[in-house]
Amino acid sequence: MTGNYKITYKKGKLTVRKSIKVKVTLKVKHGAWNDSKSKSRTVTLTEYEGDSLKLAAKQIPAVGNKPAKGYKAGSWNKKPGIKTSLKKNTTYTYTYAKKPEPKPQEPTKKEKDKAALDAGFKATWNGADVTVEFGKVSGATAYDVYASYCGEKFALYDTVSGGKVTVKKLKGRKLDASKTVKVCVAARDGKKQLARTITAHGASPANKYTNAKQVAISGKPFKVEKGKTIRIRAKLVPVNGKKPILPDHHVPQFRYATGNRHIATVDKNGKVTGKGKGTCAIYVYAANGMAAQATVTVN
């Protein structure tokens, strides 16, 4: 007879019991034990046939306070305990739970109002007049339309209930077709301003410059990791292909705005930075207010 045995003699009876072993493995996933170590631990329990094999309290590592980034306290696949009798090799695994993805923050009311007002905003020469179009802002009771020649201070041209305004005169006279007209629109509720458009600059058909009839964005769709950057590139399609587009000394040829700064921001050069997971719009404006929208997804 070979091996490790325990022999007892009691009341005339000889008992022979063979040594038994059970290996217990304790693992941790997506984090560490509370002592900051993450290596699996192995405990070998040894007794004799008929005895109960149980873990001691000191053999069960404390866990739950050291999750990896993006995780939180989790649970055992089966909880090790000092009262549990073990008859075979057993593995206990503690798995930290993944934190739920935070919901993307909604754009602020100010951002929503500006996006709504800028939607469809543009200044277009029609014959001797300039037609100004803009979007509707929820809660706005009036829209103030400002107009002037480029290089001059804005003056209130008209106050309307929404939609469209035709600028026919400035300073009491018909528009000077040799000059560039600039316009903007402010939405308000009573005396409280809710949003204001970008400033649109428009050259008349008689001007040596022409306007954009379309903003074309290349490279869609756009995806960026949180904390990383991408660049949005666009080009202008002119109304009159034989004339140059209104130059930068009026306003930059491209201007950019974000629909939700919590998800992505954009600088004056079209560089987009991912801020939080989600999807938002990035707007690209030409000098005359013509716009295109790019959808950016931040992972």
Side-chain angles (χ1 to χ4, degrees):
M1 186 169 63
T2 58
N4 188 6
Y5 292 85
K6 184 176 183 179
I7 301 173
T8 58
Y9 182 80
K10 188 175 182 181
K11 295 181 179 180
K13 184 178 180 182
L14 183 67
T15 303
V16 179
R17 293 190 296 161
K18 186 177 181 180
S19 173
I20 56 174
K21 291 182 180 180
V22 167
K23 185 173 78 170
V24 180
T25 304
L26 300 113
K27 297 181 178 181
V28 62
K29 289 184 177 180
H30 309 308
W33 307 112
N34 286 359
D35 61 7
S36 299
K37 297 177 181 178
S38 58
K39 189 176 181 180
S40 297
R41 302 183 180 187
T42 301
V43 177
T44 300
L45 303 177
T46 304
E47 284 292 350
Y48 293 92
E49 290 175 334
D51 290 333
S52 181
L53 295 174
K54 298 179 181 179
L55 285 169
K58 65 180 181 180
Q59 293 172 319
I60 303 172
V63 69
N65 295 337
K66 299 290 183 179
K69 185 177 180 180
Y71 290 82
K72 61 181 182 178
S75 60
W76 292 96
N77 62 332
K78 46 188 175 182
K79 191 171 182 179
I82 59 175
K83 295 182 179 181
T84 303
S85 294
L86 302 171
K87 297 181 179 179
K88 60 181 180 179
N89 293 342
T90 303
T91 298
Y92 295 102
T93 303
Y94 184 92
T95 304
Y96 284 96
K98 190 171 180 61
K99 288 182 178 179
E101 294 290 346
K103 292 183 178 180
Q105 281 188 269
E106 290 292 316
T108 63
K109 185 178 185 305
K110 185 176 181 181
E111 288 173 328
K112 288 180 179 179
D113 288 345
K114 179 166 175 55
L117 187 61
D118 280 339
F121 174 63
K122 57 185 176 181
T124 308
W125 277 84
N126 292 308
D129 306 325
V130 173
T131 300
V132 183
E133 299 174 72
F134 49 90
K136 183 178 180 181
V137 175
S138 177
T141 57
Y143 297 85
D144 295 325
V145 180
Y146 297 87
S148 71
Y149 290 117
C150 202
E152 299 180 3
K153 289 185 177 181
F154 265 131
L156 179 63
Y157 179 80
D158 198 2
T159 297
V160 296
S161 59
K164 181 187 295 187
V165 172
T166 299
V167 178
K168 296 178 177 290
K169 295 182 179 182
L170 286 177
K171 298 181 178 181
R173 297 181 179 182
K174 290 183 179 181
L175 299 182
D176 185 344
S178 67
K179 295 182 178 181
T180 300
V181 173
K182 66 178 183 179
V183 297
C184 73
V185 179
R188 57 183 171 84
D189 178 12
K191 294 183 178 180
K192 180 182 179 182
Q193 183 170 297
L194 302 178
R196 187 182 179 105
T197 65
I198 61 169
T199 298
H201 296 245
S204 77
N207 200 295
K208 62 181 179 179
Y209 298 111
T210 190
N211 303 306
K213 68 177 180 180
Q214 182 186 352
V215 178
I217 297 176
S218 59
K220 296 185 284 187
F222 297 96
K223 295 182 180 180
V224 63
E225 297 294 319
K226 182 179 177 181
K228 302 294 184 180
T229 62
I230 56 171
R231 190 175 299 278
I232 290 180
R233 302 186 187 279
K235 67 177 182 179
L236 301 177
V237 180
V239 172
N240 185 339
K242 296 180 180 180
K243 292 183 179 182
I245 294 281
L246 203 64
D248 282 359
H249 68 254
H250 290 271
V251 288
Q253 284 202 334
F254 297 106
R255 287 168 288 174
Y256 305 86
T258 178
N260 190 339
R261 59 187 173 82
H262 300 297
I263 294 176
T265 58
V266 60
D267 70 8
K268 65 180 181 180
N269 298 311
K271 184 172 74 173
V272 176
T273 302
K275 293 293 185 179
K277 289 189 177 183
T279 300
C280 75
I282 299 294
Y283 303 96
V284 185
Y285 301 97
N288 64 334
M290 283 288 182
Q293 176 180 320
T295 299
V296 175
T297 299
V298 181
N299 297 314

